[in-house]
Amino acid sequence: MSLAALAATPLADFAALGASWNDLPPDRYLRDGGRYRRRRHASYVVDGDAVRDVPHRAHWQPVDYNALHGGIERWFEPVEPAVAQSTAWRQLLRALGALASGLRSAQPWFVEAHQFRIDTTDGIGRPTPEGAHRDGVDLVAVILVAREGIKGAETRVFDAAGPAGLRFTLREPWSCLLLDDARVIHESTPIQPTGAHGHRDTLVVTLRRGGFQDPAPTA
């Protein structure tokens, strides 16, 4: 099934969101000193057909899941209102919530949406600088928005409990990879320019039961 069919939304409506990736601010938290990543972030609770906006919050992961950037509150700029309130965006969140409930049972889903641009400002860009990892959620949807003037970005998905794995490259705009985060680890290889400059745009949506990942309260 196509992503457009899953969300009951014309593909052109998704494509119209693509221009917003041209206005992502730099990721100020890269610990490898890179300048190759830009992003925005938003959080929601999806419960059936209801999509509730959550007040802007930090993105946080434990070190167990992100050895490079875990353990710190990362306050990224929010997804622009024109994008976050668009019909296509909301329909996509509803569709992914319904898919998660179909797989795990109906319940509220704590959803984080990340707009990423990885570019070749540094000559090379790293989609997953933390390496092969899990995210500490239930499901991860990796959606390719665009790739222009690059080579690389091979997606690698491996069984978390063994050596089996798959390697492939997302090339079609608005193609979607859905991952069971408990069962697999994943990464994408670095990108390099094929000309003067290039970039890869993705939308990553995570769904977690029970609540968001947040740092433990201090005593």
Side-chain angles (χ1 to χ4, degrees):
M1 176 183 289
S2 72
L3 187 68
L6 179 70
T9 301
L11 185 58
D13 290 1
F14 285 130
L17 299 176
S20 67
W21 269 258
N22 294 325
D23 191 32
L24 302 183
D27 183 338
R28 298 178 290 108
Y29 296 94
L30 283 172
R31 284 181 162 173
D32 64 0
R35 301 169 299 159
Y36 54 81
R37 185 158 76 179
R38 296 174 173 270
R39 70 192 292 181
R40 291 183 185 271
H41 170 250
S43 301
Y44 308 88
V45 177
V46 179
D47 190 2
D49 287 336
V51 177
R52 178 169 63 84
D53 296 78
V54 172
H56 194 54
R57 52 186 290 280
H59 175 56
W60 186 88
Q61 294 173 294
V63 175
D64 289 350
Y65 290 111
N66 190 327
L68 184 60
H69 298 115
I72 60 173
E73 292 187 329
R74 289 181 285 168
W75 286 92
F76 300 113
E77 291 297 313
V79 172
E80 293 179 318
V83 174
Q85 297 302 321
S86 69
T87 299
W89 185 271
R90 311 298 275 199
Q91 282 290 96
L92 176 61
L93 297 177
R94 289 188 187 95
L96 292 174
L99 187 60
S101 286
L103 293 170
R104 296 285 194 272
S105 76
Q107 59 193 293
W109 292 99
F110 295 82
V111 175
E112 295 189 58
H114 305 260
Q115 291 179 286
F116 286 100
R117 169 165 287 184
I118 307 299
D119 65 31
T120 58
T121 296
D122 296 332
I124 187 171
R126 296 177 175 85
T128 52
E130 64 271 40
H133 66 282
R134 291 165 55 210
D135 287 296
V137 298
D138 284 86
L139 297 173
V140 180
V142 181
I143 301 166
L144 178 69
V145 176
R147 53 178 292 149
E148 297 183 13
I150 63 167
K151 60 183 178 179
E154 179 185 70
T155 297
R156 299 177 177 180
V157 182
F158 301 104
D159 189 331
L166 296 171
R167 301 184 181 197
F168 53 91
T169 302
L170 294 171
R171 297 188 182 278
E172 189 68 25
W174 298 98
S175 54
C176 177
L177 169 65
L178 186 68
L179 301 168
D180 183 333
D181 193 58
R183 295 176 55 191
V184 299
I185 59 174
H186 64 280
E187 66 177 343
S188 293
T189 61
I191 65 170
Q192 294 177 284
T194 56
H197 189 74
H199 66 263
R200 178 180 185 252
D201 296 344
T202 56
L203 170 61
V204 176
V205 181
T206 63
L207 301 97
R208 189 173 191 266
R209 73 182 95 185
F212 293 107
Q213 291 189 108
D214 287 308
T218 56

